Amino acid sequence: MTTEDRTHTMAQRWKRRPEGSTWGDYGADDQLGRVNLLTPQKVLEGIREVQSGRTFCLSLPLDYPGGAVLNPRRGPPRLAPTLQDGCPCFNFPLLRLDGQNTDVLCDDQVTLALQYSTQWDAFAHVGAFFDTGDDGVPRKVYYNGYRAGTDVVGPVDYRPDGDVAQDGPYGARALHIANFAEHGMQGRAVLFDLKKHFGLARRSVGYDDLQHVMEADGIDLRPGDMVLFRTGFTEVLLRMNRAPDKAVLDATGCVLDGRDQRLLQWVDDQRVAALIADNYAVEGLPAREALGRRPALPLHQHCLFKLGVPLAELWWLADLADWLAGERRTAFLLTAPPLRLPGAVGSPVTPIATV
Ligand code: UVW
């Protein structure tokens, strides 16, 4: 693409970008944001952190949390056999197809809320109203000015003067999760053990707290690192055995304070490639009260909409965090590709930490 083409495309999508955003910094049509910092050099940096070759699975079983308590929109996965000529293909004797066959076959499918359990958020997960045209008209847009309705398409165009049905196919045509899969979510990562420092009671964590943990644990945070926060949330959740107690969970573990401007600036200044937590939403929801028009999900808006920093939630970090603490280490190689599922705005993930 020539410079002229880029300018043209950028001019079409936005004239004005949100203050403090990275829009355009990685190219007019960029869909990766700070994931661009996961370069081959960053992968090598991650590999240089590997000393023992031991691996840790950082996923919950995907049928956790159980029920639809954390988010009523998201129910547990439903597995079912595929059908072979109308018959459930589970323990299906292939001799039904040919009397000489000796095979027995199982084949299944799943209905899965993509953000039910251990997950990545794509940039198309959270957008905002913003005056990209610099003409006083707020438009529904996503990272780098990609638009609701053309780039991110749902069945309904929600307008102030009435809802209008839209034609499919539905899904994100830009900023979908497959972008991260294709790039490869691999590189150097560091872990902040908030549970170790602040305990298991609910606590809103801001910039000062993160500075304290960095200094206390000697965390060597570098540009392009993926940053993980262990809060202990999924440890309490796992013990609930798929019957989560919302009142207990609402009082459990640290959450980032998305209204702390110094914390938001820190995420930008440190040039992190991703923010990952073992809790639900990474940030505290509902967020602290704030006057006037403001995002309900301030950290989501800062990361997914402005900076292009992916968020990840409900990871299983206990085993890794305990091992790292025992070794007085905080850095490791993280390999965490989402599903290469075009159109999706989130994805389950089975991340592997290699130490
Ligand atoms: C919300 O809808 C709050 O989503 P997330 O799982 O990213 O917190």
Side-chain angles (χ1 to χ4, degrees):
M1 186 179 271
T2 65
T3 310
E4 202 173 299
D5 289 336
R6 281 187 195 285
T7 313
H8 181 61
T9 321
M10 190 188 290
Q12 278 184 331
R13 208 176 298 116
W14 57 268
K15 280 191 188 145
R16 186 168 152 257
R17 68 179 189 175
E19 200 184 323
S21 77
T22 64
W23 294 14
D25 290 358
Y26 299 101
D29 298 318
D30 175 59
Q31 298 185 37
L32 288 175
R34 291 261 158 98
V35 172
N36 282 292
L37 301 180
L38 293 178
T39 58
Q41 289 71 30
K42 263 333 273 191
V43 176
L44 288 175
E45 256 185 67
I47 288 169
R48 282 195 283 273
E49 298 294 346
V50 177
Q51 294 169 24
S52 75
R54 182 166 174 180
T55 56
F56 291 88
C57 171
L58 306 185
S59 177
L60 288 172
L62 290 186
D63 56 356
Y64 278 78
V69 164
L70 289 186
N71 186 325
R73 295 194 302 270
R74 301 172 185 158
R78 290 196 305 277
L79 281 164
T82 57
L83 297 179
Q84 176 72 49
D85 301 327
C87 299
C89 187
F90 241 68
N91 305 319
F92 183 81
L94 286 191
L95 58 79
R96 293 268 179 112
L97 306 181
D98 176 333
Q100 300 306 311
N101 287 340
T102 58
D103 326 63
V104 176
L105 199 66
C106 292
D107 191 61
D108 54 3
Q109 54 193 315
V110 63
T111 304
L112 176 69
L114 294 172
Q115 301 180 52
Y116 183 69
S117 189
T118 303
Q119 61 162 89
W120 280 114
D121 287 342
F123 296 153
H125 175 47
V126 175
F129 282 93
F130 186 75
D131 177 13
T132 46
D134 205 11
D135 53 6
V137 181
R139 295 173 179 81
K140 272 188 279 181
V141 289
Y142 295 84
Y143 171 75
N144 213 4
Y146 285 95
R147 291 186 182 187
T150 46
D151 301 309
V152 180
V153 185
V156 181
D157 182 1
Y158 297 104
R159 297 186 190 174
D161 53 350
D163 298 346
V164 178
Q166 290 201 127
D167 291 334
Y170 306 122
R173 295 172 190 170
L175 305 178
H176 52 80
I177 201 73
N179 290 330
F180 299 160
E182 286 157 23
H183 184 79
M185 296 300 280
Q186 188 175 46
R188 184 177 187 270
V190 295
L191 184 129
F192 284 63
D193 195 336
L194 303 179
K195 179 188 169 198
K196 188 178 81 182
H197 287 275
F198 303 122
L200 259 182
R202 175 57 55 101
R203 175 192 171 107
S204 185
V205 161
Y207 169 81
D208 291 329
D209 298 312
L210 294 187
Q211 283 302 114
H212 165 75
V213 173
M214 271 182 70
E215 278 164 34
D217 288 351
I219 297 176
D220 172 19
L221 176 58
R222 305 178 193 165
D225 281 352
M226 292 181 273
V227 176
L228 291 84
F229 299 104
R230 187 254 194 126
T231 71
F233 185 89
T234 42
E235 294 153 55
V236 173
L237 180 67
L238 204 69
R239 286 200 291 273
M240 292 175 172
N241 198 22
R242 299 183 185 84
D245 180 332
K246 182 143 170 32
V248 172
L249 292 172
D250 283 348
T252 296
C254 291
V255 288
L256 297 192
D257 178 1
R259 300 249 190 255
D260 179 350
Q261 292 305 319
R262 289 191 305 155
L263 183 141
L264 300 185
Q265 191 59 51
W266 178 87
V267 173
D268 187 8
D269 293 344
Q270 297 296 324
R271 297 168 65 75
V272 302
L275 291 186
I276 295 158
D278 63 356
N279 66 12
Y280 172 67
V282 187
E283 63 182 315
L285 297 179
R288 275 194 289 126
E289 286 295 320
L291 294 175
R293 286 177 67 78
R294 77 281 182 274
L297 307 165
L299 186 71
H300 279 63
Q301 185 162 129
H302 186 66
C303 290
L304 301 179
F305 174 68
K306 281 187 169 185
L307 295 182
V309 170
L311 296 176
E313 305 169 26
L314 293 171
W315 286 30
W316 175 251
L317 299 179
D319 301 325
L320 170 70
D322 289 344
W323 189 89
L324 288 173
E327 299 288 315
R328 297 188 176 279
R329 283 178 54 182
T330 57
F332 54 95
L333 171 69
L334 178 64
T335 308
L339 296 179
R340 190 176 180 179
L341 184 57
V345 304
S347 170
V349 55
T350 309
I352 297 291
T354 312
V355 295

